[in-house]
Amino acid sequence: AQSVAQPEDQVNVAEGNPLTVKCTYSVSGNPYLFWYVQYPNRGLQFLLKYITGDNLVKGSYGFEAEFNKSQTSFHLKKPSALVSDSALYFCAVRDGGFQKLVFGTGTRLLVSP
Amino acid sequence: EAGVVQSPRYKIIEKKQPVAFWCNPISGHNTLYWYLQNLGQGPELLIRYENEEAVDDSQLPKDRFSAERLKGVDSTLKIQPAELGDSAVYLCASSLQGLGAYNEQFFGPGTRLTVL
């Protein structure tokens, strides 16, 4: 079965510094990977996806993610963090031939002023 | 473009009572999903519809949960009777899927259910 792991429950970073939120995956076949962000009392918002092509994927709000097949990782990055980036971030993988997403447990990002 | 609409946003009920959640997907989206999100966890799929057809309901506890998507647009998820462990956020999502394509899912704000 497909799965993703987010090894950090929380990531703390100062505003203006680069941020990385980690995700590793386990799939059979080609991975379809996604990042979503969830703000308090709101649904998940799509940030970016990797289907095929360039290993560096650019998404919304200045976020990008790097797909690394040899390390089975899909880390989310941003060059300069904003306080407003503080939220819960979920990595997800498509489950095989099924059109459903399998989510990680989430990483809380806290950006301090 | 309007997003996925869910109602109610919050619901508090006593155990053994019935409850229903409603979802209106993004216009034109043929695929609709219901997810369950427990506190501190990622969402887990309950059921997926392609148009009117439930194509994946393997994770839906069918003894107490039911869902329908009449006319392939709006959907309702029902729990009867509710149990304490059903307290969670119920998320609805929609997407436009086609042969060979996989497009992202768009999520509604969710319904937070509290069972007392």
Side-chain angles (χ1 to χ4, degrees), chain A residues 33-35 46-51 57 74, chain B residues 102-104:
Chain A
L33 297 160
F34 300 79
W35 276 102
F46 170 76
L47 282 177
L48 50 80
K49 66 182 177 183
Y50 173 83
I51 305 298
V57 179
F74 189 56
Chain B
Y102 190 76
N103 295 317
E104 57 270 24

Side-chain angles (χ1 to χ4, degrees), chain B residues 13-19 64 79-83 86 115:
Chain B
I13 62 172
E14 294 189 349
K15 63 181 181 181
K16 300 185 181 180
Q17 294 300 306
V19 64
R64 298 184 300 107
I79 308 175
Q80 183 171 8
E83 297 179 351
D86 296 332
V115 182

Side-chain angles (χ1 to χ4, degrees), chain A residues 32 34 36 38 41-46 49 51 88 90 94 98-101 103-106, chain B residues 9-10 33 35 37 40-43 45 48 56 91 97 101-105 107-109 112:
Chain A
Y32 288 7
F34 300 79
Y36 282 82
Q38 187 174 35
N41 299 316
R42 297 180 65 177
L44 280 73
Q45 295 179 33
F46 170 76
K49 66 182 177 183
I51 305 298
L88 189 56
F90 289 97
R94 189 186 78 160
F98 301 102
Q99 300 288 3
K100 75 174 187 181
L101 294 176
F103 286 86
T105 52
Chain B
R9 291 294 311 277
Y10 304 91
Y33 315 76
Y35 285 88
Q37 186 177 21
Q41 300 294 319
L45 183 71
R48 175 172 68 92
D56 184 358
L91 294 167
Q97 301 300 339
Y102 190 76
N103 295 317
E104 57 270 24
Q105 298 175 24
F107 285 78
R112 181 177 297 276

Side-chain angles (χ1 to χ4, degrees), chain A residues 1 4 6-7 25 44 47 58 75 81 83 87-88 92 96 103 106 113:
Chain A
V4 292
Q6 294 183 244
Y25 65 89
L44 280 73
L47 282 177
K58 294 189 182 296
H75 300 333
V83 173
L88 189 56
F103 286 86

